[in-house]
Amino acid sequence: MIQNETICAAATPAGGAITVIRVSGDNAIKIADKIFRGKAKLSETTPNYIRYGEIVDADGTIVDDVLISVFKSPNSYTGENSIEISCHGSMYITKSIIKLLVDNGCKLAQPGEFTQRAFLNGKMDLSQAEAVADLIAASTKASHDIAISQLKGNFSNELATLREQLLNLTSLLELELDFSDHEDLEFADRTELLTLANKVNDHIGNLINSFETGQAIKNGIPIAIIGETNVGKSTLLNQLLKEDRAIVSDIHGTTRDTIEDVIEINNIQFRFIDTAGIRQTTDEIEQIGIERTYQAIRRARVVLWLINEWPKEDIIADLSKHLEDKKLIIVYNKSDILTDNQRLLHKQYEETIIQKQLLPIPFSSIEISAKNGTNIDSLRDVIMKVADIPETNGNSTIVTSIRHYESLSKARQNLNRVITGLHANTSGDLIAEDLRLVLSDLAEITGGVITPQDTLNSIFEHFCIGK
């Protein structure tokens, strides 16, 4: 990207009442002046000021009445001279203004190019730039809070604190090396270094462990609805979604593939997956559906296991192979017709499962009637509880990016070598080298090291044009 090129693009979707067109670069204000007619030139306008006027073509014909916001370097989103044209949302008007800008020297912006320039011009670090895309894509309060926290620099500040602690370690070790000919001098107390290294390692570990939760909040927490055929899985999905999303039938094996949809519970997005009924079958297509049920279980965070009558132990044993590390809720359906004797049998069977360790994980249980909608709100409460999503706010630091996760993982691996070296009384120069690697790994997240262009392209190509 050539930094002195002036770029332009619509920053809002077409078809609304108002369109905002962004222009950024050395000649942004000069180019806009060529097509703007108002009481004064934009170049004579006070920065951070909005001016009313008209956009006119080469013949002086009015294209539209507009408001133009003027920003002068370095006090703009990109750090460059910038203007934002607010015009009527007509597709024709938008295209006409962009064409006039291009005819007068602008280049059409690439996806994410405005934010990329903001990063390159030091207006934000790389993790904050990535948060811009997350903020635009946020569909719930929880995902919004995480993106806002990162955009405001909370994650960056946390990493800066870790890097400062590691730099103290490195500087003490390197100071020892400078005076290595004086054997009686020791600037770095190995016990204190080890304590600090372990503290930093624990902090990095907590960030890494937050990634699963971050991904769940960002993409929606996957919940698999499973059970034998005709137990009411599709009816439950429809109740949760409050719409007829899945086909409901008394015929066994109606659902032969997974059906997914999302709902929001307490500001968290959940992806519910209705699955094919689990049973012994010779139907080849139904068997494929059952295999997809197992796949859905493996990628779910929470599993709702609907039960009318308990299946045989061989089915439970087969199912348990896929339940490792899952949150399991056993849902007894048709509570409206359950007898006291059936409730007692369910309780006894739960105790048998626990005693025989037929399931590899603990579980919660609840009664509902999917048909009548009885206890559905209580089921939502149980889902929220077992999903165990930490409360998010503007100060939460939760990792959502796979790139950040990989850099943190590399940092922890290198820091573990530092800790091992300190335990083994390894030479200070080797420990210092591993510490430099840790610092480099953390700097990759914020762009504190020279970031390859292909990495930048990979990050910003997923942005919308105009951002």
Side-chain angles (χ1 to χ4, degrees), residues 25-59:
D26 291 347
N27 297 320
I29 299 172
K30 184 186 298 184
I31 290 172
D33 257 335
K34 295 179 182 179
I35 64 172
F36 176 73
R37 187 164 65 195
K39 289 185 178 180
K41 287 183 173 295
L42 298 173
S43 56
E44 299 169 356
T45 299
T46 303
N48 308 321
Y49 189 86
I50 297 176
R51 188 165 291 283
Y52 170 77
E54 300 164 339
I55 297 293
V56 295
D57 63 16
D59 299 327

PDB file of all heavy atoms in Angstrom, residues 25-59:
ATOM      1  N   GLY A  25      -6.161  10.680   2.960  1.00  0.00           N
ATOM      2  CA  GLY A  25      -4.863  10.763   2.303  1.00  0.00           C
ATOM      3  C   GLY A  25      -4.396  12.198   2.246  1.00  0.00           C
ATOM      4  O   GLY A  25      -5.132  13.134   2.575  1.00  0.00           O
ATOM      5  N   ASP A  26      -3.170  12.386   1.772  1.00  0.00           N
ATOM      6  CA  ASP A  26      -2.586  13.725   1.730  1.00  0.00           C
ATOM      7  C   ASP A  26      -3.475  14.715   0.985  1.00  0.00           C
ATOM      8  O   ASP A  26      -3.581  15.883   1.369  1.00  0.00           O
ATOM      9  CB  ASP A  26      -1.208  13.679   1.056  1.00  0.00           C
ATOM     10  CG  ASP A  26      -0.170  12.955   1.901  1.00  0.00           C
ATOM     11  OD1 ASP A  26      -0.455  12.710   3.095  1.00  0.00           O
ATOM     12  OD2 ASP A  26       0.899  12.606   1.366  1.00  0.00           O
ATOM     13  N   ASN A  27      -4.090  14.268  -0.102  1.00  0.00           N
ATOM     14  CA  ASN A  27      -4.849  15.181  -0.971  1.00  0.00           C
ATOM     15  C   ASN A  27      -6.359  15.080  -0.761  1.00  0.00           C
ATOM     16  O   ASN A  27      -7.128  15.532  -1.613  1.00  0.00           O
ATOM     17  CB  ASN A  27      -4.518  14.898  -2.432  1.00  0.00           C
ATOM     18  CG  ASN A  27      -3.058  15.165  -2.751  1.00  0.00           C
ATOM     19  OD1 ASN A  27      -2.483  16.144  -2.278  1.00  0.00           O
ATOM     20  ND2 ASN A  27      -2.446  14.291  -3.543  1.00  0.00           N
ATOM     21  N   ALA A  28      -6.781  14.501   0.347  1.00  0.00           N
ATOM     22  CA  ALA A  28      -8.219  14.286   0.564  1.00  0.00           C
ATOM     23  C   ALA A  28      -8.999  15.593   0.507  1.00  0.00           C
ATOM     24  O   ALA A  28     -10.027  15.696  -0.179  1.00  0.00           O
ATOM     25  CB  ALA A  28      -8.444  13.590   1.909  1.00  0.00           C
ATOM     26  N   ILE A  29      -8.525  16.603   1.214  1.00  0.00           N
ATOM     27  CA  ILE A  29      -9.258  17.873   1.281  1.00  0.00           C
ATOM     28  C   ILE A  29      -9.164  18.602  -0.054  1.00  0.00           C
ATOM     29  O   ILE A  29     -10.154  19.170  -0.551  1.00  0.00           O
ATOM     30  CB  ILE A  29      -8.713  18.743   2.434  1.00  0.00           C
ATOM     31  CG1 ILE A  29      -8.919  18.000   3.765  1.00  0.00           C
ATOM     32  CG2 ILE A  29      -9.396  20.098   2.466  1.00  0.00           C
ATOM     33  CD1 ILE A  29      -8.247  18.664   4.953  1.00  0.00           C
ATOM     34  N   LYS A  30      -7.984  18.549  -0.685  1.00  0.00           N
ATOM     35  CA  LYS A  30      -7.791  19.226  -1.970  1.00  0.00           C
ATOM     36  C   LYS A  30      -8.701  18.627  -3.049  1.00  0.00           C
ATOM     37  O   LYS A  30      -9.326  19.350  -3.835  1.00  0.00           O
ATOM     38  CB  LYS A  30      -6.321  19.104  -2.396  1.00  0.00           C
ATOM     39  CG  LYS A  30      -5.973  19.849  -3.678  1.00  0.00           C
ATOM     40  CD  LYS A  30      -4.547  19.554  -4.118  1.00  0.00           C
ATOM     41  CE  LYS A  30      -3.541  20.022  -3.064  1.00  0.00           C
ATOM     42  NZ  LYS A  30      -2.138  19.822  -3.541  1.00  0.00           N
ATOM     43  N   ILE A  31      -8.787  17.282  -3.084  1.00  0.00           N
ATOM     44  CA  ILE A  31      -9.630  16.620  -4.085  1.00  0.00           C
ATOM     45  C   ILE A  31     -11.105  16.936  -3.835  1.00  0.00           C
ATOM     46  O   ILE A  31     -11.867  17.220  -4.770  1.00  0.00           O
ATOM     47  CB  ILE A  31      -9.393  15.096  -4.069  1.00  0.00           C
ATOM     48  CG1 ILE A  31      -7.998  14.779  -4.620  1.00  0.00           C
ATOM     49  CG2 ILE A  31     -10.464  14.361  -4.871  1.00  0.00           C
ATOM     50  CD1 ILE A  31      -7.581  13.335  -4.463  1.00  0.00           C
ATOM     51  N   ALA A  32     -11.512  16.902  -2.552  1.00  0.00           N
ATOM     52  CA  ALA A  32     -12.911  17.188  -2.233  1.00  0.00           C
ATOM     53  C   ALA A  32     -13.280  18.617  -2.627  1.00  0.00           C
ATOM     54  O   ALA A  32     -14.412  18.886  -3.066  1.00  0.00           O
ATOM     55  CB  ALA A  32     -13.164  16.954  -0.753  1.00  0.00           C
ATOM     56  N   ASP A  33     -12.336  19.546  -2.483  1.00  0.00           N
ATOM     57  CA  ASP A  33     -12.598  20.941  -2.858  1.00  0.00           C
ATOM     58  C   ASP A  33     -12.945  21.079  -4.339  1.00  0.00           C
ATOM     59  O   ASP A  33     -13.666  22.001  -4.737  1.00  0.00           O
ATOM     60  CB  ASP A  33     -11.378  21.809  -2.537  1.00  0.00           C
ATOM     61  CG  ASP A  33     -11.575  22.633  -1.266  1.00  0.00           C
ATOM     62  OD1 ASP A  33     -12.740  22.915  -0.918  1.00  0.00           O
ATOM     63  OD2 ASP A  33     -10.566  22.977  -0.615  1.00  0.00           O
ATOM     64  N   LYS A  34     -12.430  20.184  -5.183  1.00  0.00           N
ATOM     65  CA  LYS A  34     -12.673  20.258  -6.623  1.00  0.00           C
ATOM     66  C   LYS A  34     -14.132  19.976  -6.987  1.00  0.00           C
ATOM     67  O   LYS A  34     -14.596  20.383  -8.051  1.00  0.00           O
ATOM     68  CB  LYS A  34     -11.768  19.273  -7.364  1.00  0.00           C
ATOM     69  CG  LYS A  34     -10.283  19.586  -7.268  1.00  0.00           C
ATOM     70  CD  LYS A  34      -9.459  18.539  -8.017  1.00  0.00           C
ATOM     71  CE  LYS A  34      -7.977  18.805  -7.899  1.00  0.00           C
ATOM     72  NZ  LYS A  34      -7.166  17.765  -8.606  1.00  0.00           N
ATOM     73  N   ILE A  35     -14.830  19.242  -6.096  1.00  0.00           N
ATOM     74  CA  ILE A  35     -16.216  18.869  -6.425  1.00  0.00           C
ATOM     75  C   ILE A  35     -17.218  19.458  -5.432  1.00  0.00           C
ATOM     76  O   ILE A  35     -18.416  19.179  -5.508  1.00  0.00           O
ATOM     77  CB  ILE A  35     -16.378  17.336  -6.466  1.00  0.00           C
ATOM     78  CG1 ILE A  35     -16.126  16.711  -5.087  1.00  0.00           C
ATOM     79  CG2 ILE A  35     -15.456  16.717  -7.508  1.00  0.00           C
ATOM     80  CD1 ILE A  35     -16.447  15.220  -5.019  1.00  0.00           C
ATOM     81  N   PHE A  36     -16.723  20.287  -4.498  1.00  0.00           N
ATOM     82  CA  PHE A  36     -17.587  20.861  -3.476  1.00  0.00           C
ATOM     83  C   PHE A  36     -17.828  22.333  -3.762  1.00  0.00           C
ATOM     84  O   PHE A  36     -16.915  23.076  -4.137  1.00  0.00           O
ATOM     85  CB  PHE A  36     -16.930  20.708  -2.098  1.00  0.00           C
ATOM     86  CG  PHE A  36     -17.697  21.347  -0.964  1.00  0.00           C
ATOM     87  CD1 PHE A  36     -18.862  20.780  -0.497  1.00  0.00           C
ATOM     88  CD2 PHE A  36     -17.244  22.532  -0.384  1.00  0.00           C
ATOM     89  CE1 PHE A  36     -19.578  21.368   0.548  1.00  0.00           C
ATOM     90  CE2 PHE A  36     -17.943  23.125   0.654  1.00  0.00           C
ATOM     91  CZ  PHE A  36     -19.115  22.540   1.122  1.00  0.00           C
ATOM     92  N   ARG A  37     -19.070  22.756  -3.557  1.00  0.00           N
ATOM     93  CA  ARG A  37     -19.419  24.176  -3.709  1.00  0.00           C
ATOM     94  C   ARG A  37     -20.151  24.616  -2.441  1.00  0.00           C
ATOM     95  O   ARG A  37     -21.228  24.111  -2.117  1.00  0.00           O
ATOM     96  CB  ARG A  37     -20.293  24.383  -4.929  1.00  0.00           C
ATOM     97  CG  ARG A  37     -20.561  25.852  -5.253  1.00  0.00           C
ATOM     98  CD  ARG A  37     -21.099  26.003  -6.653  1.00  0.00           C
ATOM     99  NE  ARG A  37     -22.415  25.360  -6.805  1.00  0.00           N
ATOM    100  CZ  ARG A  37     -22.988  25.082  -7.979  1.00  0.00           C
ATOM    101  NH1 ARG A  37     -22.342  25.366  -9.110  1.00  0.00           N
ATOM    102  NH2 ARG A  37     -24.162  24.520  -8.031  1.00  0.00           N
ATOM    103  N   GLY A  38     -19.509  25.544  -1.709  1.00  0.00           N
ATOM    104  CA  GLY A  38     -20.109  26.041  -0.466  1.00  0.00           C
ATOM    105  C   GLY A  38     -19.678  27.459  -0.216  1.00  0.00           C
ATOM    106  O   GLY A  38     -19.083  28.110  -1.081  1.00  0.00           O
ATOM    107  N   LYS A  39     -19.965  27.952   0.985  1.00  0.00           N
ATOM    108  CA  LYS A  39     -19.628  29.338   1.298  1.00  0.00           C
ATOM    109  C   LYS A  39     -18.117  29.540   1.403  1.00  0.00           C
ATOM    110  O   LYS A  39     -17.624  30.656   1.243  1.00  0.00           O
ATOM    111  CB  LYS A  39     -20.302  29.747   2.606  1.00  0.00           C
ATOM    112  CG  LYS A  39     -21.816  29.914   2.475  1.00  0.00           C
ATOM    113  CD  LYS A  39     -22.428  30.449   3.761  1.00  0.00           C
ATOM    114  CE  LYS A  39     -23.927  30.664   3.604  1.00  0.00           C
ATOM    115  NZ  LYS A  39     -24.549  31.195   4.867  1.00  0.00           N
ATOM    116  N   ALA A  40     -17.397  28.471   1.733  1.00  0.00           N
ATOM    117  CA  ALA A  40     -15.937  28.561   1.836  1.00  0.00           C
ATOM    118  C   ALA A  40     -15.332  27.235   1.412  1.00  0.00           C
ATOM    119  O   ALA A  40     -16.007  26.200   1.405  1.00  0.00           O
ATOM    120  CB  ALA A  40     -15.525  28.892   3.272  1.00  0.00           C
ATOM    121  N   LYS A  41     -14.072  27.269   1.021  1.00  0.00           N
ATOM    122  CA  LYS A  41     -13.384  26.047   0.631  1.00  0.00           C
ATOM    123  C   LYS A  41     -13.158  25.158   1.857  1.00  0.00           C
ATOM    124  O   LYS A  41     -12.999  25.639   2.979  1.00  0.00           O
ATOM    125  CB  LYS A  41     -12.035  26.384  -0.014  1.00  0.00           C
ATOM    126  CG  LYS A  41     -12.137  26.965  -1.414  1.00  0.00           C
ATOM    127  CD  LYS A  41     -10.759  27.202  -1.980  1.00  0.00           C
ATOM    128  CE  LYS A  41     -10.830  27.617  -3.440  1.00  0.00           C
ATOM    129  NZ  LYS A  41     -11.357  26.543  -4.290  1.00  0.00           N
ATOM    130  N   LEU A  42     -13.104  23.861   1.602  1.00  0.00           N
ATOM    131  CA  LEU A  42     -12.841  22.917   2.681  1.00  0.00           C
ATOM    132  C   LEU A  42     -11.439  23.103   3.246  1.00  0.00           C
ATOM    133  O   LEU A  42     -11.203  22.911   4.435  1.00  0.00           O
ATOM    134  CB  LEU A  42     -13.021  21.481   2.178  1.00  0.00           C
ATOM    135  CG  LEU A  42     -14.433  21.135   1.686  1.00  0.00           C
ATOM    136  CD1 LEU A  42     -14.440  19.750   1.050  1.00  0.00           C
ATOM    137  CD2 LEU A  42     -15.439  21.189   2.831  1.00  0.00           C
ATOM    138  N   SER A  43     -10.503  23.491   2.382  1.00  0.00           N
ATOM    139  CA  SER A  43      -9.115  23.700   2.821  1.00  0.00           C
ATOM    140  C   SER A  43      -9.002  24.887   3.771  1.00  0.00           C
ATOM    141  O   SER A  43      -8.027  25.004   4.514  1.00  0.00           O
ATOM    142  CB  SER A  43      -8.208  23.914   1.605  1.00  0.00           C
ATOM    143  OG  SER A  43      -8.687  24.992   0.819  1.00  0.00           O
ATOM    144  N   GLU A  44     -10.011  25.765   3.768  1.00  0.00           N
ATOM    145  CA  GLU A  44     -10.004  26.927   4.658  1.00  0.00           C
ATOM    146  C   GLU A  44     -10.854  26.680   5.903  1.00  0.00           C
ATOM    147  O   GLU A  44     -11.002  27.561   6.752  1.00  0.00           O
ATOM    148  CB  GLU A  44     -10.545  28.150   3.905  1.00  0.00           C
ATOM    149  CG  GLU A  44      -9.705  28.527   2.692  1.00  0.00           C
ATOM    150  CD  GLU A  44     -10.394  29.564   1.814  1.00  0.00           C
ATOM    151  OE1 GLU A  44     -11.563  29.924   2.131  1.00  0.00           O
ATOM    152  OE2 GLU A  44      -9.786  30.010   0.824  1.00  0.00           O
ATOM    153  N   THR A  45     -11.384  25.471   6.004  1.00  0.00           N
ATOM    154  CA  THR A  45     -12.297  25.141   7.097  1.00  0.00           C
ATOM    155  C   THR A  45     -11.528  24.716   8.347  1.00  0.00           C
ATOM    156  O   THR A  45     -10.513  24.024   8.267  1.00  0.00           O
ATOM    157  CB  THR A  45     -13.242  23.996   6.667  1.00  0.00           C
ATOM    158  OG1 THR A  45     -14.004  24.435   5.554  1.00  0.00           O
ATOM    159  CG2 THR A  45     -14.179  23.595   7.799  1.00  0.00           C
ATOM    160  N   THR A  46     -12.010  25.124   9.490  1.00  0.00           N
ATOM    161  CA  THR A  46     -11.416  24.716  10.765  1.00  0.00           C
ATOM    162  C   THR A  46     -11.522  23.203  10.909  1.00  0.00           C
ATOM    163  O   THR A  46     -12.579  22.625  10.603  1.00  0.00           O
ATOM    164  CB  THR A  46     -12.163  25.390  11.937  1.00  0.00           C
ATOM    165  OG1 THR A  46     -12.115  26.802  11.750  1.00  0.00           O
ATOM    166  CG2 THR A  46     -11.536  25.015  13.270  1.00  0.00           C
ATOM    167  N   PRO A  47     -10.443  22.515  11.339  1.00  0.00           N
ATOM    168  CA  PRO A  47     -10.523  21.059  11.527  1.00  0.00           C
ATOM    169  C   PRO A  47     -11.651  20.665  12.482  1.00  0.00           C
ATOM    170  O   PRO A  47     -12.027  21.431  13.373  1.00  0.00           O
ATOM    171  CB  PRO A  47      -9.152  20.708  12.110  1.00  0.00           C
ATOM    172  CG  PRO A  47      -8.252  21.804  11.650  1.00  0.00           C
ATOM    173  CD  PRO A  47      -9.096  23.040  11.628  1.00  0.00           C
ATOM    174  N   ASN A  48     -12.189  19.473  12.270  1.00  0.00           N
ATOM    175  CA  ASN A  48     -13.280  18.929  13.081  1.00  0.00           C
ATOM    176  C   ASN A  48     -14.536  19.799  12.971  1.00  0.00           C
ATOM    177  O   ASN A  48     -15.285  19.963  13.941  1.00  0.00           O
ATOM    178  CB  ASN A  48     -12.873  18.773  14.548  1.00  0.00           C
ATOM    179  CG  ASN A  48     -11.581  17.989  14.711  1.00  0.00           C
ATOM    180  OD1 ASN A  48     -11.348  17.017  13.994  1.00  0.00           O
ATOM    181  ND2 ASN A  48     -10.740  18.424  15.621  1.00  0.00           N
ATOM    182  N   TYR A  49     -14.743  20.330  11.772  1.00  0.00           N
ATOM    183  CA  TYR A  49     -15.875  21.210  11.503  1.00  0.00           C
ATOM    184  C   TYR A  49     -16.699  20.608  10.378  1.00  0.00           C
ATOM    185  O   TYR A  49     -16.164  20.011   9.443  1.00  0.00           O
ATOM    186  CB  TYR A  49     -15.359  22.603  11.110  1.00  0.00           C
ATOM    187  CG  TYR A  49     -16.416  23.677  10.998  1.00  0.00           C
ATOM    188  CD1 TYR A  49     -16.814  24.403  12.119  1.00  0.00           C
ATOM    189  CD2 TYR A  49     -16.995  23.963   9.769  1.00  0.00           C
ATOM    190  CE1 TYR A  49     -17.777  25.395  12.012  1.00  0.00           C
ATOM    191  CE2 TYR A  49     -17.963  24.955   9.653  1.00  0.00           C
ATOM    192  CZ  TYR A  49     -18.357  25.668  10.778  1.00  0.00           C
ATOM    193  OH  TYR A  49     -19.305  26.647  10.667  1.00  0.00           O
ATOM    194  N   ILE A  50     -18.021  20.779  10.442  1.00  0.00           N
ATOM    195  CA  ILE A  50     -18.903  20.262   9.398  1.00  0.00           C
ATOM    196  C   ILE A  50     -19.381  21.436   8.546  1.00  0.00           C
ATOM    197  O   ILE A  50     -19.867  22.451   9.063  1.00  0.00           O
ATOM    198  CB  ILE A  50     -20.120  19.526  10.000  1.00  0.00           C
ATOM    199  CG1 ILE A  50     -19.671  18.308  10.794  1.00  0.00           C
ATOM    200  CG2 ILE A  50     -21.094  19.096   8.900  1.00  0.00           C
ATOM    201  CD1 ILE A  50     -20.794  17.579  11.501  1.00  0.00           C
ATOM    202  N   ARG A  51     -19.222  21.289   7.227  1.00  0.00           N
ATOM    203  CA  ARG A  51     -19.633  22.355   6.324  1.00  0.00           C
ATOM    204  C   ARG A  51     -20.742  21.872   5.387  1.00  0.00           C
ATOM    205  O   ARG A  51     -20.686  20.754   4.867  1.00  0.00           O
ATOM    206  CB  ARG A  51     -18.423  22.842   5.523  1.00  0.00           C
ATOM    207  CG  ARG A  51     -18.724  24.084   4.705  1.00  0.00           C
ATOM    208  CD  ARG A  51     -17.471  24.754   4.223  1.00  0.00           C
ATOM    209  NE  ARG A  51     -16.677  25.363   5.281  1.00  0.00           N
ATOM    210  CZ  ARG A  51     -16.970  26.527   5.886  1.00  0.00           C
ATOM    211  NH1 ARG A  51     -18.051  27.192   5.537  1.00  0.00           N
ATOM    212  NH2 ARG A  51     -16.181  27.005   6.807  1.00  0.00           N
ATOM    213  N   TYR A  52     -21.730  22.718   5.186  1.00  0.00           N
ATOM    214  CA  TYR A  52     -22.844  22.408   4.279  1.00  0.00           C
ATOM    215  C   TYR A  52     -22.542  22.964   2.890  1.00  0.00           C
ATOM    216  O   TYR A  52     -21.948  24.038   2.748  1.00  0.00           O
ATOM    217  CB  TYR A  52     -24.148  23.015   4.801  1.00  0.00           C
ATOM    218  CG  TYR A  52     -25.283  22.946   3.808  1.00  0.00           C
ATOM    219  CD1 TYR A  52     -25.962  21.750   3.584  1.00  0.00           C
ATOM    220  CD2 TYR A  52     -25.657  24.074   3.076  1.00  0.00           C
ATOM    221  CE1 TYR A  52     -26.995  21.685   2.663  1.00  0.00           C
ATOM    222  CE2 TYR A  52     -26.689  24.019   2.153  1.00  0.00           C
ATOM    223  CZ  TYR A  52     -27.348  22.815   1.950  1.00  0.00           C
ATOM    224  OH  TYR A  52     -28.366  22.755   1.018  1.00  0.00           O
ATOM    225  N   GLY A  53     -22.943  22.213   1.853  1.00  0.00           N
ATOM    226  CA  GLY A  53     -22.765  22.692   0.489  1.00  0.00           C
ATOM    227  C   GLY A  53     -23.308  21.701  -0.515  1.00  0.00           C
ATOM    228  O   GLY A  53     -24.182  20.878  -0.186  1.00  0.00           O
ATOM    229  N   GLU A  54     -22.779  21.785  -1.735  1.00  0.00           N
ATOM    230  CA  GLU A  54     -23.258  20.926  -2.811  1.00  0.00           C
ATOM    231  C   GLU A  54     -22.084  20.208  -3.462  1.00  0.00           C
ATOM    232  O   GLU A  54     -20.983  20.757  -3.561  1.00  0.00           O
ATOM    233  CB  GLU A  54     -23.975  21.767  -3.874  1.00  0.00           C
ATOM    234  CG  GLU A  54     -25.176  22.518  -3.348  1.00  0.00           C
ATOM    235  CD  GLU A  54     -25.619  23.628  -4.285  1.00  0.00           C
ATOM    236  OE1 GLU A  54     -24.796  24.083  -5.135  1.00  0.00           O
ATOM    237  OE2 GLU A  54     -26.773  24.062  -4.160  1.00  0.00           O
ATOM    238  N   ILE A  55     -22.331  18.988  -3.910  1.00  0.00           N
ATOM    239  CA  ILE A  55     -21.392  18.280  -4.770  1.00  0.00           C
ATOM    240  C   ILE A  55     -21.818  18.548  -6.204  1.00  0.00           C
ATOM    241  O   ILE A  55     -22.989  18.350  -6.564  1.00  0.00           O
ATOM    242  CB  ILE A  55     -21.390  16.766  -4.488  1.00  0.00           C
ATOM    243  CG1 ILE A  55     -20.930  16.475  -3.064  1.00  0.00           C
ATOM    244  CG2 ILE A  55     -20.510  16.020  -5.501  1.00  0.00           C
ATOM    245  CD1 ILE A  55     -19.480  16.808  -2.775  1.00  0.00           C
ATOM    246  N   VAL A  56     -20.875  19.010  -7.003  1.00  0.00           N
ATOM    247  CA  VAL A  56     -21.187  19.340  -8.400  1.00  0.00           C
ATOM    248  C   VAL A  56     -20.231  18.596  -9.321  1.00  0.00           C
ATOM    249  O   VAL A  56     -19.091  18.283  -8.955  1.00  0.00           O
ATOM    250  CB  VAL A  56     -21.080  20.859  -8.651  1.00  0.00           C
ATOM    251  CG1 VAL A  56     -22.129  21.607  -7.848  1.00  0.00           C
ATOM    252  CG2 VAL A  56     -19.688  21.375  -8.292  1.00  0.00           C
ATOM    253  N   ASP A  57     -20.698  18.280 -10.522  1.00  0.00           N
ATOM    254  CA  ASP A  57     -19.835  17.601 -11.492  1.00  0.00           C
ATOM    255  C   ASP A  57     -19.025  18.625 -12.273  1.00  0.00           C
ATOM    256  O   ASP A  57     -19.053  19.828 -11.967  1.00  0.00           O
ATOM    257  CB  ASP A  57     -20.653  16.694 -12.402  1.00  0.00           C
ATOM    258  CG  ASP A  57     -21.662  17.446 -13.258  1.00  0.00           C
ATOM    259  OD1 ASP A  57     -21.541  18.684 -13.393  1.00  0.00           O
ATOM    260  OD2 ASP A  57     -22.594  16.801 -13.798  1.00  0.00           O
ATOM    261  N   ALA A  58     -18.301  18.171 -13.294  1.00  0.00           N
ATOM    262  CA  ALA A  58     -17.399  19.043 -14.048  1.00  0.00           C
ATOM    263  C   ALA A  58     -18.137  20.178 -14.753  1.00  0.00           C
ATOM    264  O   ALA A  58     -17.564  21.241 -15.009  1.00  0.00           O
ATOM    265  CB  ALA A  58     -16.612  18.202 -15.055  1.00  0.00           C
ATOM    266  N   ASP A  59     -19.416  19.961 -15.071  1.00  0.00           N
ATOM    267  CA  ASP A  59     -20.209  20.983 -15.746  1.00  0.00           C
ATOM    268  C   ASP A  59     -20.908  21.905 -14.767  1.00  0.00           C
ATOM    269  O   ASP A  59     -21.656  22.807 -15.187  1.00  0.00           O
ATOM    270  CB  ASP A  59     -21.264  20.317 -16.642  1.00  0.00           C
ATOM    271  CG  ASP A  59     -20.633  19.458 -17.731  1.00  0.00           C
ATOM    272  OD1 ASP A  59     -19.537  19.840 -18.200  1.00  0.00           O
ATOM    273  OD2 ASP A  59     -21.217  18.418 -18.091  1.00  0.00           O
TER     274      ASP A  59
END
